[in-house]
Amino acid sequence: MEKRKLGKSNLWVSKMGLGCMSLGTDEVKAAGIIEAAIEEGVNYFDTADLYDYGVNEEMVGKILAPFRDEVIIATKVGNRWNEQKDGWRWDPSKKYIKEAVKNSLRRLKTDYIDLYQLHGGTIEDPIDETIEAFEELKAEGLIRFYGISSIRPNVIREYVNRSAIDSIMMQYNLLDRRPEELMPFLTENDVSVVTRGSVAKGMLSDKMLELREEQFEELEYLNYSAQELYEFYESVKAKLLSRSDRTLNELALQFNLSNSSVAAVVVGASSIEQVRDNARAVNARPLSNEEMGILSILTKNNRYSSHR
């Protein structure tokens, strides 16, 4: 599988990363999924301390231990569980980040984290203090590089302008093209995009093509109406899928990968077959100019709200 350079770092990530949030807590099943991903050439695994109260990190670390030198482990920090474990609060303080990283390292059974990401962020945060925490962790060798996971343009611009981040994890897909307004700025600053939500929570999976018009009545996505969604799928079938052997999943993932700002699409999987299907999709031929043109016409170039 092709690997792409992540920002200014020396990390080369597979163009498909495995999003580990959907692994569940069955370790045997999770091991099968992770090992299938490695067999397909995936070297990039994304988790967070928030997932399953840290159990996800523990499981991912244990399964990846035999492959540690061959893989890139990314995790996140900033969301702090309360003592009852029934909610969390946002804490981007230097003190908490430097405390939390030690817990993540312990759970992941590793001496270092390849990519440590701030799991959100607001413009009211103590941004310089947060950056200082990441820089100190980098100097101490506990993390190799850092980034943020955010969809807030104002926050993203602040971190790009004030820090040495190498990546932004953002929701980006055919139906949510908002990140495109930021991508030229990120490219200019040599910051890579890692995409999540690439299949829009299943809205860009092939099962949607089987729905009848009346089944769209209750569906909506961002500012797409039910009728617009129905027309989108019908047009994709008529103008693209009927003329090739592609799947909608393939179109969706290749659309993301066609953008030069994107280093990798991080996709979850709840089965081995889903891993292999996603790998087939990202290893397929890139979209042609004609396909890109049709897809761009069929979708809205959404805009972020001004307050974000």
Side-chain angles (χ1 to χ4, degrees):
M1 184 177 290
E2 177 192 342
K3 293 180 176 62
R4 297 179 175 183
K5 191 170 182 283
L6 193 74
K8 300 175 284 293
S9 77
N10 62 2
L11 299 178
W12 288 80
V13 297
S14 52
K15 62 182 179 180
M16 170 183 149
L18 183 67
C20 297
M21 183 175 69
S22 57
L23 289 175
T25 55
D26 182 331
E27 190 177 312
V28 173
K29 182 179 179 182
I33 292 170
I34 288 175
E35 288 165 9
I38 291 172
E39 288 171 9
E40 293 291 341
V42 172
N43 76 339
Y44 178 31
F45 296 85
D46 182 271
T47 180
D49 58 2
L50 187 69
Y51 303 160
D52 295 315
Y53 313 104
V55 172
N56 194 269
E57 282 187 329
E58 289 179 352
M59 194 167 59
V60 168
K62 181 178 179 180
I63 297 167
L64 287 178
F67 311 97
R68 184 64 187 99
D69 294 340
E70 306 162 33
V71 298
I72 292 166
I73 296 177
T75 192
K76 310 181 195 75
V77 65
N79 293 299
R80 186 171 190 168
W81 283 107
N82 61 28
E83 290 183 8
Q84 294 76 31
K85 297 290 192 290
D86 59 1
W88 63 83
R89 63 184 173 88
W90 178 238
D91 188 350
S93 68
K94 177 179 176 179
K95 180 180 178 182
Y96 177 65
I97 291 170
K98 298 200 75 173
E99 171 190 328
V101 73
K102 294 174 184 175
N103 292 324
S104 285
L105 288 166
R106 174 180 51 79
R107 288 190 291 261
L108 288 165
K109 298 175 178 61
T110 183
D111 296 327
Y112 64 93
I113 293 165
D114 296 289
L115 181 66
Y116 204 35
Q117 302 160 101
L118 187 67
H119 203 175
T122 74
I123 204 68
E124 290 80 26
D125 290 344
I127 293 176
D128 288 330
E129 178 185 323
T130 303
I131 292 169
E132 191 174 273
F134 283 109
E135 287 292 343
E136 288 183 7
L137 292 176
K138 195 172 173 181
E140 293 163 14
L142 298 180
I143 68 172
R144 296 178 67 193
F145 302 98
Y146 64 97
I148 66 171
S149 175
S150 176
I151 60 169
R152 297 177 182 270
N154 290 342
V155 173
I156 290 168
R157 290 189 183 97
E158 288 298 313
Y159 276 91
V160 171
N161 288 329
R162 293 157 68 174
S163 77
I165 59 169
D166 286 290
S167 65
I168 308 284
M169 175 174 267
M170 306 173 73
Q171 176 170 296
Y172 179 51
N173 59 58
L174 262 171
L175 299 174
D176 185 358
R177 294 174 54 200
R178 292 175 295 176
E180 290 175 9
E181 67 185 87
L182 281 169
M183 285 177 172
F185 168 70
L186 298 177
T187 298
E188 286 170 14
N189 287 276
D190 206 6
V191 175
S192 293
V193 174
V194 175
T195 70
R196 61 175 178 81
S198 306
V199 293
K201 295 183 178 179
M203 295 291 287
L204 293 170
S205 62
D206 291 271
K207 64 182 181 182
M208 299 300 298
L209 304 173
E210 302 168 7
L211 299 184
R212 301 182 303 276
E213 184 172 4
E214 60 269 22
Q215 292 176 288
F216 282 85
E217 290 178 3
E218 303 299 321
L219 291 180
E220 57 181 27
Y221 188 82
L222 293 179
N223 58 346
Y224 283 86
S225 67
Q227 184 61 33
E228 286 174 326
L229 287 172
Y230 173 71
E231 291 172 359
F232 166 75
Y233 295 117
E234 290 301 299
S235 296
V236 167
K237 283 192 285 188
K239 296 181 179 181
L240 289 169
L241 299 181
S242 65
R243 297 160 53 184
S244 74
D245 58 355
R246 292 198 190 270
T247 63
L248 180 56
N249 184 54
E250 184 179 318
L251 287 177
L253 297 182
Q254 287 295 330
F255 177 82
N256 280 23
L257 290 167
S258 68
N259 194 306
S260 59
S261 298
V262 175
V265 291
V266 172
V267 289
S270 55
S271 69
I272 290 173
E273 186 51 43
Q274 196 171 14
V275 171
R276 302 209 188 281
D277 282 344
N278 288 333
R280 281 192 288 269
V282 301
N283 285 328
R285 65 187 184 280
L287 296 181
S288 66
N289 290 336
E290 180 185 11
E291 288 172 315
M292 280 296 294
I294 292 171
L295 288 172
S296 293
I297 290 170
L298 296 180
T299 56
K300 296 180 180 181
N301 196 343
N302 318 89
R303 306 289 293 177
Y304 284 110
S305 300
S306 58
H307 70 280
R308 308 207 56 183

